Amino acid sequence: AQSVTQLDSQVPVFEEAPVELRCNYSSSVSVYLFWYVQYPNQGLQLLLKYLSGSTLVKGINGFEAEFNKSQTSFHLRKPSVHISDTAEYFCAVSDRAGKSTFGDGTTLTVKP
Amino acid sequence: ETGVTQTPRHLVMGMTNKKSLKCEQHLGHNAMYWYKQSAKKPLELMFVYSLEERVENNSVPSRFSPECPNSSHLFLHLHTLQPEDSALYLCASSQDDRDLEQFFGPGTRLTVL
Protein backbone atom coordinates (compact mmCIF):
# COMPACT_ATOMS: atom_id res chain seq x y z
CA ALA A 1 0.00 0.00 0.00
CA GLN A 2 1.12 3.54 -0.61
CA SER A 3 -0.06 6.91 0.63
CA VAL A 4 0.65 10.58 0.13
CA THR A 5 0.39 13.38 2.67
CA GLN A 6 0.45 16.99 1.66
CA LEU A 7 1.21 18.77 4.87
CA ASP A 8 -0.37 22.12 4.07
CA SER A 9 -3.89 22.47 2.71
CA GLN A 10 -3.45 26.19 2.00
CA VAL A 11 -0.34 28.28 1.44
CA PRO A 12 -0.73 32.05 1.07
CA VAL A 13 2.34 33.91 -0.12
CA PHE A 14 3.18 37.33 -1.52
CA GLU A 15 4.28 37.79 -5.10
CA GLU A 16 8.03 37.35 -5.70
CA ALA A 17 8.47 35.49 -2.40
CA PRO A 18 9.83 31.94 -2.32
CA VAL A 19 7.47 29.05 -1.66
CA GLU A 20 7.71 25.43 -0.59
CA LEU A 21 4.82 22.97 -0.81
CA ARG A 22 5.45 19.90 1.29
CA CYS A 23 4.76 16.29 0.37
CA ASN A 24 5.54 13.10 2.28
CA TYR A 25 4.81 9.61 1.09
CA SER A 26 4.87 6.07 2.36
CA SER A 27 5.27 2.90 0.37
CA SER A 28 6.56 -0.62 0.83
CA VAL A 29 8.09 -0.61 -2.68
CA SER A 30 10.06 1.77 -4.84
CA VAL A 31 7.94 4.57 -6.15
CA TYR A 32 7.95 7.31 -8.69
CA LEU A 33 6.93 10.80 -7.63
CA PHE A 34 5.03 13.56 -9.35
CA TRP A 35 3.72 17.06 -8.86
CA TYR A 36 0.69 18.22 -10.83
CA VAL A 37 -0.90 21.69 -10.99
CA GLN A 38 -4.58 22.39 -11.48
CA TYR A 39 -5.68 25.87 -12.50
CA PRO A 40 -9.32 26.88 -11.92
CA ASN A 41 -11.76 25.02 -14.18
CA GLN A 42 -9.01 22.96 -15.75
CA GLY A 43 -7.62 19.45 -15.49
CA LEU A 44 -4.31 18.46 -13.92
CA GLN A 45 -1.08 19.32 -15.69
CA LEU A 46 2.23 17.62 -14.93
CA LEU A 47 4.79 20.01 -13.36
CA LEU A 48 7.64 17.56 -12.83
CA LYS A 49 8.43 13.95 -12.04
CA TYR A 50 11.11 11.89 -10.35
CA LEU A 51 11.75 8.46 -11.82
CA SER A 52 15.45 7.87 -11.04
CA GLY A 53 18.83 9.59 -11.14
CA SER A 54 19.42 13.06 -9.76
CA THR A 55 17.29 13.76 -6.72
CA LEU A 56 16.78 17.40 -7.74
CA VAL A 57 14.20 17.60 -10.46
CA LYS A 58 13.42 20.72 -12.46
CA GLY A 59 10.00 21.22 -13.97
CA ILE A 60 8.00 23.75 -15.90
CA ASN A 61 7.25 27.32 -14.80
CA GLY A 62 10.42 27.55 -12.68
CA PHE A 63 9.40 24.87 -10.18
CA GLU A 64 11.74 22.23 -8.81
CA ALA A 65 11.47 19.41 -6.30
CA GLU A 66 13.92 17.32 -4.34
CA PHE A 67 13.49 13.64 -3.63
CA ASN A 68 14.66 12.72 -0.15
CA LYS A 69 14.52 8.98 0.31
CA SER A 70 15.52 8.96 3.98
CA GLN A 71 12.79 11.44 4.87
CA THR A 72 10.34 10.03 2.29
CA SER A 73 9.67 13.53 1.06
CA PHE A 74 9.28 15.26 -2.28
CA HIS A 75 8.82 18.95 -1.53
CA LEU A 76 8.07 21.41 -4.32
CA ARG A 77 9.84 24.77 -4.40
CA LYS A 78 9.94 27.96 -6.42
CA PRO A 79 12.32 30.82 -5.58
CA SER A 80 9.99 33.61 -6.69
CA VAL A 81 6.27 33.14 -7.32
CA HIS A 82 3.94 35.06 -9.62
CA ILE A 83 0.25 35.81 -9.37
CA SER A 84 -0.27 33.31 -12.17
CA ASP A 85 1.05 30.49 -9.94
CA THR A 86 -2.15 30.64 -7.91
CA ALA A 87 -3.60 27.14 -8.30
CA GLU A 88 -4.10 23.77 -6.62
CA TYR A 89 -1.01 21.56 -6.46
CA PHE A 90 -1.13 17.79 -6.13
CA CYS A 91 1.64 15.43 -5.16
CA ALA A 92 1.31 11.85 -6.42
CA VAL A 93 3.18 8.56 -6.17
CA SER A 94 3.09 5.61 -8.53
CA ASP A 95 4.41 2.13 -8.06
CA ARG A 96 6.11 0.25 -10.87
CA ALA A 97 2.77 -1.23 -11.92
CA GLY A 98 1.50 2.24 -12.71
CA LYS A 99 -0.95 2.51 -9.80
CA SER A 100 -1.12 6.18 -8.79
CA THR A 101 -2.12 7.69 -5.45
CA PHE A 102 -2.75 11.41 -5.14
CA GLY A 103 -2.49 13.71 -2.13
CA ASP A 104 -5.34 15.93 -0.96
CA GLY A 105 -3.87 18.96 -2.69
CA THR A 106 -2.40 22.29 -1.55
CA THR A 107 -4.01 25.56 -2.55
CA LEU A 108 -1.33 28.11 -3.34
CA THR A 109 -2.58 31.70 -3.28
CA VAL A 110 -0.18 34.36 -4.45
CA LYS A 111 -1.08 37.84 -3.27
CA PRO A 112 0.11 41.13 -4.82
CA GLU B 1 -8.09 19.51 -31.30
CA THR B 2 -5.13 18.43 -29.28
CA GLY B 3 -4.66 16.68 -25.97
CA VAL B 4 -7.60 15.35 -24.01
CA THR B 5 -11.07 16.85 -24.40
CA GLN B 6 -14.17 16.28 -22.32
CA THR B 7 -17.81 17.09 -22.95
CA PRO B 8 -19.91 18.48 -21.52
CA ARG B 9 -17.91 20.80 -19.30
CA HIS B 10 -20.86 21.26 -16.96
CA LEU B 11 -23.85 19.01 -16.31
CA VAL B 12 -26.79 19.31 -13.96
CA MET B 13 -29.04 16.29 -13.64
CA GLY B 14 -31.79 14.90 -11.48
CA MET B 15 -31.48 11.64 -9.64
CA THR B 16 -33.71 9.84 -12.13
CA ASN B 17 -31.95 11.09 -15.27
CA LYS B 18 -29.60 9.15 -17.51
CA LYS B 19 -26.67 11.02 -18.99
CA SER B 20 -23.23 10.28 -20.42
CA LEU B 21 -19.86 11.97 -20.12
CA LYS B 22 -17.54 11.81 -23.10
CA CYS B 23 -13.76 11.89 -23.26
CA GLU B 24 -11.60 11.93 -26.36
CA GLN B 25 -7.83 11.86 -26.57
CA HIS B 26 -5.84 12.98 -29.61
CA LEU B 27 -2.45 11.75 -28.38
CA GLY B 28 -2.36 8.23 -29.79
CA HIS B 29 -2.39 6.76 -26.28
CA ASN B 30 -3.56 3.26 -25.43
CA ALA B 31 -4.75 3.75 -21.85
CA MET B 32 -7.55 5.93 -20.54
CA TYR B 33 -8.79 6.69 -17.03
CA TRP B 34 -11.78 8.13 -15.17
CA TYR B 35 -11.16 9.98 -11.91
CA LYS B 36 -13.58 11.59 -9.47
CA GLN B 37 -12.49 14.80 -7.76
CA SER B 38 -14.68 15.84 -4.85
CA ALA B 39 -14.21 18.89 -2.66
CA LYS B 40 -11.81 18.30 0.21
CA LYS B 41 -11.07 14.71 -0.88
CA PRO B 42 -8.14 13.27 -2.80
CA LEU B 43 -8.47 12.33 -6.43
CA GLU B 44 -10.16 8.93 -6.72
CA LEU B 45 -9.35 6.56 -9.55
CA MET B 46 -12.58 5.01 -10.85
CA PHE B 47 -11.73 3.03 -13.98
CA VAL B 48 -8.72 2.19 -16.13
CA TYR B 49 -8.89 0.96 -19.70
CA SER B 50 -5.95 -0.38 -21.66
CA LEU B 51 -6.39 -1.17 -25.34
CA GLU B 52 -10.15 -0.86 -24.84
CA GLU B 53 -10.23 -3.47 -22.08
CA ARG B 54 -11.06 -2.56 -18.50
CA VAL B 55 -8.05 -3.35 -16.33
CA GLU B 56 -9.13 -1.75 -13.08
CA ASN B 57 -12.39 -0.97 -11.36
CA ASN B 58 -12.00 0.52 -7.93
CA SER B 59 -15.25 -0.62 -6.32
CA VAL B 60 -17.30 1.98 -8.11
CA PRO B 61 -21.10 1.78 -7.70
CA SER B 62 -22.95 0.26 -10.63
CA ARG B 63 -24.77 3.52 -11.29
CA PHE B 64 -21.52 4.50 -13.06
CA SER B 65 -20.97 2.47 -16.21
CA PRO B 66 -17.87 3.04 -18.37
CA GLU B 67 -17.54 2.29 -22.05
CA CYS B 68 -14.43 2.34 -24.20
CA PRO B 69 -15.36 1.70 -27.85
CA ASN B 70 -11.82 2.42 -29.11
CA SER B 71 -8.53 3.68 -27.77
CA SER B 72 -9.42 7.32 -28.46
CA HIS B 73 -12.82 7.48 -26.78
CA LEU B 74 -14.06 6.85 -23.27
CA PHE B 75 -17.57 7.32 -21.93
CA LEU B 76 -19.04 7.32 -18.46
CA HIS B 77 -22.73 6.49 -18.44
CA LEU B 78 -24.65 7.80 -15.45
CA HIS B 79 -28.03 6.67 -14.10
CA THR B 80 -29.94 7.10 -10.85
CA LEU B 81 -27.15 9.12 -9.29
CA GLN B 82 -27.14 10.50 -5.77
CA PRO B 83 -26.38 14.08 -4.66
CA GLU B 84 -23.08 12.88 -3.16
CA ASP B 85 -21.99 11.95 -6.71
CA SER B 86 -21.70 15.66 -7.49
CA ALA B 87 -18.04 16.26 -8.31
CA LEU B 88 -15.56 17.06 -11.04
CA TYR B 89 -15.03 14.02 -13.25
CA LEU B 90 -11.64 13.97 -14.89
CA CYS B 91 -10.53 11.86 -17.81
CA ALA B 92 -6.87 11.11 -18.45
CA SER B 93 -4.81 9.13 -20.91
CA SER B 94 -1.31 7.68 -21.04
CA GLN B 95 0.79 5.79 -23.54
CA ASP B 96 -0.12 2.53 -21.80
CA ASP B 97 -1.48 1.55 -18.40
CA ARG B 98 2.03 1.32 -16.96
CA ASP B 99 3.07 4.71 -18.28
CA LEU B 100 3.62 6.99 -15.38
CA GLU B 101 2.72 10.28 -17.02
CA GLN B 102 -0.96 10.90 -17.47
CA PHE B 103 -2.47 13.70 -19.50
CA PHE B 104 -5.69 15.10 -18.09
CA GLY B 105 -8.73 16.64 -19.68
CA PRO B 106 -10.42 19.76 -18.25
CA GLY B 107 -13.11 17.74 -16.49
CA THR B 108 -16.89 17.71 -16.36
CA ARG B 109 -18.43 19.50 -13.38
CA LEU B 110 -21.42 17.33 -12.43
CA THR B 111 -24.17 18.47 -10.11
CA VAL B 112 -26.84 15.98 -9.05
CA LEU B 113 -30.00 17.55 -7.69
Side-chain angles (χ1 to χ4, degrees):
Chain A
Q2 57 194 28
S3 67
V4 178
T5 302
Q6 291 185 239
L7 298 159
D8 308 291
S9 60
Q10 300 203 30
V11 174
V13 64
F14 286 105
E15 193 173 18
E16 297 184 9
V19 71
E20 178 180 79
L21 306 184
R22 297 180 294 168
C23 174
N24 286 98
Y25 70 92
S26 67
S27 177
S28 56
V29 298
S30 297
V31 294
Y32 306 112
L33 297 152
F34 306 81
W35 275 99
Y36 287 87
V37 61
Q38 185 179 31
Y39 297 105
N41 302 312
Q42 295 187 30
L44 277 66
Q45 178 184 1
L46 182 69
L47 268 180
L48 48 80
K49 59 186 175 185
Y50 171 79
L51 303 181
S52 65
S54 173
T55 56
L56 183 62
V57 181
K58 293 190 184 297
I60 62 172
N61 300 342
F63 284 92
E64 64 181 31
E66 186 158 17
F67 170 56
N68 188 319
K69 188 174 182 179
S70 62
Q71 297 188 6
T72 61
S73 68
F74 191 55
H75 301 332
L76 181 70
R77 301 187 184 97
K78 185 170 182 177
S80 175
V81 294
H82 303 289
I83 298 286
S84 59
D85 292 322
T86 294
E88 187 90 9
Y89 291 80
F90 293 91
C91 181
V93 300
S94 287
D95 60 22
R96 292 180 186 273
K99 180 175 172 59
S100 297
T101 303
F102 288 79
D104 290 355
T106 297
T107 302
L108 174 64
T109 304
V110 181
K111 299 179 286 186
Chain B
E1 288 266 27
T2 58
V4 181
T5 58
Q6 291 185 242
T7 55
R9 293 295 308 277
H10 299 273
L11 178 62
V12 179
M13 59 187 288
M15 290 190 285
T16 58
N17 292 158
K18 289 185 179 181
K19 297 286 184 183
S20 296
L21 309 186
K22 178 182 176 183
C23 175
E24 185 173 1
Q25 58 95 2
H26 310 268
L27 301 168
H29 289 165
N30 293 314
M32 297 187 76
Y33 310 76
W34 278 118
Y35 286 89
K36 177 183 179 182
Q37 186 178 30
S38 304
K40 303 187 189 303
K41 292 178 69 175
L43 212 60
E44 300 172 55
L45 179 63
M46 300 174 73
F47 301 104
V48 181
Y49 276 82
S50 178
L51 297 172
E52 300 131 54
E53 289 190 18
R54 190 187 309 180
V55 297
E56 187 156 347
N57 173 3
N58 282 347
S59 302
V60 179
S62 59
R63 56 186 184 270
F64 294 91
S65 174
E67 179 190 0
C68 189
N70 56 62
S71 59
S72 299
H73 293 86
L74 185 65
F75 295 89
L76 188 62
H77 304 299
L78 316 171
H79 64 97
T80 59
L81 294 192
Q82 305 297 312
E84 59 265 28
D85 296 322
S86 298
L88 182 68
Y89 288 84
L90 292 166
C91 174
S93 71
S94 62
Q95 187 60 49
D96 56 52
D97 64 337
R98 288 174 180 250
D99 187 7
L100 306 171
E101 182 172 353
Q102 296 179 21
F103 293 78
F104 285 81
T108 295
R109 174 68 63 187
L110 174 67
T111 303
V112 182
L113 302 177

